[in-house]
Amino acid sequence: MLRGRRRLGDLLIEAGLLTEQQLKQALEDQSESQKLGDILLQKGFITEQQLIEVLEFQLGIPHVSLFRYPIDTSLTTLIPKEMARRHHLIALRKDGDKLFVAMADPMDYYAIEDLRLTTGFQIEPVIASKDEIIRAINKFYDLDEGVKELFAEAPTEIEEERITNEDSPVVKLVNQILQNAVQQRASDIHVDPHETKVLLRYRVDGVLRTERSLPKSMQGVLTARIKIMANLDITESRIPQDGRIKINLEAHHIDLRVSTLPTVYGEKIVMRVLDLGSALNNLSQLGFNNVNLERFKRLIHSPTGIVLITGPTGSGKSSTLYAALNQLNSEDVNIITIEDPVEYQLEGINQIQVNPNVGMTFAKGLRAILRQDPNIIMVGEIRDQETADVAVRASLTGHLVLSTLHTNDSLGTITRLIDMGVEPFLVASSLSGVVAQRLVRRVCRDCGQLQEPTVRELEIFAKRGITIEKVNRGKGCGTCNMTGYKGRVAIHELLVINDNMKRAIMNRESYTTLRDLAIKNKTIFLIDDGLLKVKQGLTTTEEILRVTTAE
């Protein structure tokens, strides 16, 4: 069946998908336990689809998409869950003495031999993407197993032993829900109570989708388990509560922010998954175009002034702030932050947690920071006039202040600060620049296809003075869960407050005047940056119009 042992690197170089230099670099960075295919994918040298196509062509092993594949669920008893997870494989069907198995790495001869000895069948490998296999394992092994176990023991009573014992079904089920979310790169997990069921939903790449429906009888134990993990009061279900979960699942560190909300059908729980990897982003990895990146670096390297990052919840403001702090973090500066909550702990930076229960508010903490001889201050969010006033005073007394604000665009920030009660002359003298930011879904690298733009798209691009010949759209594949999108990219609008703008703010000029000055200053607006990213093939016009308005 298999045509001798050929090395993956050689196959990819033969296919023209990899250079000798890239292979050499990947082999140097490869750890002992890491497979070559994984390191090549991680570095972005190839896509999973390209890897699959090469293996399919060179080895003559067929490729299947598991998205709607009729997997024979009775075969899960043949292959232990640990083995399926360890080797990234799942049994699909059997035919006589042959067992067809989907594998992420069909060249893993040890796994094939292991399977043959375990099952007694002749193994016929087929190729599937790693993400699809992990999703299938979660779906057919773990969650169903946890649900069946919970059904077996009448889950209406909540006993402490059942929600704290690590071997109990509800503990396994919750751990699996969390693990599944991390593997699917979900940013939020929603446990939605309804009249007759409980929906489990994940927000992946900014879009909510229902993962599965659980029986209503499980709501009590599921809610109790999550609340115990987050150190919340399980006897109180009439008021909203906030907590935090830190756990390790299979050597993977997971940090979650938990919020409960009483609804007519019970408590709704939303868990925000904090991706600790994204905190240490490089500024160059945030999706800034070259013009905006240079302007942003100039702003954050100035010794004084306020730099604000604006956008709705979940638009990546924190990641941009942390990337800026990471860039500025060195031994010769004193950086202090005050946040609610402290999302990521950064080495070498003093971070303060807001605690209104003991009177530690943003304004009070900020006043205390000013007595600590700081160079750079980061305020999690400017929510009220008091915090805004202290931030302005800090910037005018020789400090660089970084913070966030909830506004729709960069110019709206100026109006918002004045509405908060900050005097226009103080806004003009303290504000250095504003970054408005949104996150849009990225076209899947595996199924993206160049197409002719529609008439409507041509109109939109022409109106903004941009020419477009082809647009990139994903047709949907197993890697991206048939959505055509995988991952996200940020679009930015960066407003630099120059002397003309300062004069206009002091004179309380209208929004239109400020906008004209911004245009004169060659500001790239959100929609323009978005359309330029469509032109680069990173996203689609539909995505840009979902988060911005076409003027």
Side-chain angles (χ1 to χ4, degrees):
M1 164 71 202
L2 294 172
R3 326 233 192 286
R5 297 194 176 198
R6 302 194 58 199
R7 291 190 309 179
L8 178 62
D10 298 335
L11 292 178
L12 290 165
I13 289 170
E14 266 177 49
L17 295 172
L18 198 65
T19 65
E20 294 273 4
Q21 183 59 38
Q22 286 175 326
L23 177 61
K24 190 179 169 200
Q25 191 184 330
L27 289 168
E28 282 171 7
D29 295 346
Q30 184 182 5
S31 64
E32 277 181 35
S33 60
Q34 205 171 22
K35 291 183 176 173
L36 178 62
D38 290 341
I39 188 90
L40 291 172
L41 291 173
Q42 189 183 315
K43 288 189 167 295
F45 290 157
I46 55 169
T47 69
E48 194 158 20
Q49 199 61 33
Q50 287 172 333
L51 181 61
I52 287 169
E53 281 167 11
V54 163
L55 293 174
E56 185 177 21
F57 178 72
Q58 298 281 2
L59 303 174
I61 299 174
H63 157 233
V64 296
S65 170
L66 301 185
F67 188 67
R68 288 201 178 90
Y69 194 93
I71 293 174
D72 182 350
T73 52
S74 64
L75 298 176
T76 52
T77 52
L78 278 178
I79 302 174
K81 179 174 73 176
E82 286 68 31
M83 182 188 277
R85 275 193 176 289
R86 188 168 68 248
H87 295 304
H88 293 115
L89 51 85
I90 190 161
L92 301 177
R93 61 188 173 90
K94 62 181 182 194
D95 184 0
D97 67 338
K98 288 182 180 174
L99 182 66
F100 289 84
V101 178
M103 301 181 70
D105 180 8
M107 298 167 80
D108 189 341
Y109 303 102
Y110 296 111
I112 292 171
E113 189 59 21
D114 205 355
L115 270 180
R116 191 179 66 76
L117 293 170
T118 305
T119 62
F121 283 89
Q122 195 59 38
I123 305 301
E124 290 284 334
V126 296
I127 313 170
S129 77
K130 193 191 239 178
D131 281 355
E132 285 189 312
I133 290 172
I134 288 170
R135 263 200 292 273
I137 291 170
N138 288 336
K139 186 174 178 184
F140 296 113
Y141 279 91
D142 301 307
L143 280 173
D144 289 336
E145 187 183 278
V147 171
K148 281 175 198 154
E149 281 187 59
L150 267 174
F151 262 141
E153 37 162 270
T156 43
E157 305 159 31
I158 300 172
E159 301 156 14
E160 191 175 342
E161 174 69 14
R162 290 186 50 226
I163 51 179
T164 53
N165 182 358
E166 286 301 314
D167 292 324
S168 82
V170 69
V171 171
K172 286 182 188 168
L173 179 67
V174 171
N175 286 353
Q176 194 46 51
I177 288 169
L178 301 181
Q179 200 166 343
N180 204 358
V182 171
Q183 281 163 345
Q184 292 194 33
R185 298 180 190 87
S187 59
D188 300 86
I189 306 164
H190 290 237
V191 180
D192 265 353
H194 289 249
E195 191 173 4
T196 56
K197 61 190 175 189
V198 179
L199 287 185
L200 179 64
R201 305 203 289 167
Y202 291 160
R203 187 179 292 281
V204 180
D205 292 338
V207 178
L208 260 180
R209 64 160 185 254
T210 301
E211 182 67 14
R212 63 179 299 133
S213 172
L214 296 169
K216 184 73 174 173
S217 55
M218 288 185 189
Q219 185 178 329
V221 283
L222 193 61
T223 304
R225 172 60 189 161
I226 294 169
K227 286 172 82 170
I228 275 191
M229 290 172 80
N231 288 325
L232 301 178
D233 182 356
I234 64 166
T235 60
E236 181 56 81
S237 58
R238 297 160 301 170
I239 56 169
Q241 294 185 67
D242 289 309
R244 196 164 185 148
I245 297 176
K246 284 186 177 187
I247 52 167
N248 280 311
L249 288 178
E250 292 185 8
H252 194 110
H253 181 71
I254 302 176
D255 205 352
L256 303 134
R257 233 164 60 202
V258 183
S259 167
T260 71
L261 185 72
T263 72
V264 287
Y265 296 124
E267 284 180 281
K268 173 180 166 65
I269 298 176
V270 176
M271 293 176 272
R272 163 69 58 93
V273 183
L274 298 175
D275 180 4
L276 299 174
S278 70
L280 302 177
N281 256 333
N282 236 326
L283 277 181
S284 53
Q285 295 171 342
L286 291 178
F288 276 107
N289 67 44
N290 293 338
V291 177
N292 281 344
L293 182 60
E294 282 313 306
R295 288 178 174 179
F296 187 60
K297 280 183 177 171
R298 267 205 306 277
L299 284 177
I300 62 170
H301 281 101
S302 61
T304 62
I306 299 179
V307 178
L308 292 177
I309 298 171
T310 77
T313 307
S315 58
K317 298 190 296 293
S318 297
S319 295
T320 305
L321 268 184
Y322 281 113
L325 288 179
N326 216 34
Q327 173 96 11
L328 297 167
N329 192 5
S330 65
E331 279 185 11
D332 52 358
V333 291
N334 178 17
I335 302 177
I336 307 182
T337 76
I338 178 157
E339 306 165 62
D340 182 23
V342 173
E343 290 190 14
Y344 310 107
Q345 272 122 32
L346 299 179
E347 190 75 31
I349 290 177
N350 307 290
Q351 294 170 280
I352 303 168
Q353 167 78 50
V354 167
N355 186 353
N357 297 334
V358 294
M360 174 58 110
T361 61
F362 273 119
K364 195 166 186 178
L366 195 45
R367 283 196 187 91
I369 288 172
L370 290 175
R371 296 191 284 275
Q372 290 279 318
D373 181 33
N375 299 91
I376 297 162
I377 301 166
M378 192 268 263
V379 183
E381 189 186 333
I382 292 178
R383 294 179 185 167
D384 51 45
Q385 185 185 350
E386 196 182 3
T387 312
D389 284 338
V390 184
V392 166
R393 200 167 73 238
S395 75
L396 294 175
T397 52
H399 305 95
L400 175 67
V401 180
L402 304 175
S403 189
T404 69
L405 198 67
H406 286 274
T407 60
N408 288 331
D409 59 6
S410 55
L411 288 164
T413 306
I414 297 164
T415 322
R416 176 94 178 88
L417 285 171
I418 293 169
D419 282 349
M420 267 186 180
V422 182
E423 289 293 337
F425 74 91
L426 288 175
V427 174
S429 49
S430 62
L431 195 61
S432 306
V434 183
V435 180
Q437 179 170 317
R438 299 285 186 283
L439 289 177
V440 291
R441 289 183 293 169
R442 192 188 276 269
V443 174
C444 173
R445 280 179 64 181
D446 289 337
C447 62
Q449 293 178 331
L450 290 178
Q451 299 177 1
E452 294 294 324
T454 63
V455 177
R456 173 77 178 122
E457 279 180 311
L458 287 169
E459 281 174 15
I460 292 166
F461 276 88
K463 197 173 177 186
R464 307 300 301 180
I466 304 169
T467 55
I468 182 94
E469 287 169 14
K470 295 278 183 191
V471 291
N472 190 16
R473 275 198 181 81
K475 68 176 192 296
C477 64
T479 310
C480 60
N481 222 3
M482 303 310 281
T483 58
Y485 298 100
K486 189 167 173 70
R488 287 193 286 179
V489 63
I491 60 171
H492 302 94
E493 171 177 307
L494 200 155
L495 179 73
V496 177
I497 310 293
N498 60 9
D499 292 342
N500 292 338
M501 192 75 80
K502 287 181 191 292
R503 269 195 295 277
I505 295 168
M506 277 198 270
N507 296 335
R508 293 180 185 260
E509 296 282 4
S510 66
Y511 181 91
T512 318
T513 310
L514 293 175
R515 187 176 169 78
D516 290 341
L517 286 170
I519 293 168
K520 206 177 284 182
N521 198 21
K522 294 190 169 59
T523 299
I524 299 167
F525 291 100
L526 270 175
I527 187 159
D528 298 323
D529 191 38
L531 294 178
L532 288 170
K533 286 189 167 71
V534 174
K535 192 172 179 173
Q536 290 172 299
L538 295 175
T539 186
T540 61
T541 316
E542 293 84 353
E543 274 296 289
I544 301 305
L545 296 181
R546 184 173 66 83
V547 297
T548 67
T549 49
E551 294 144 22

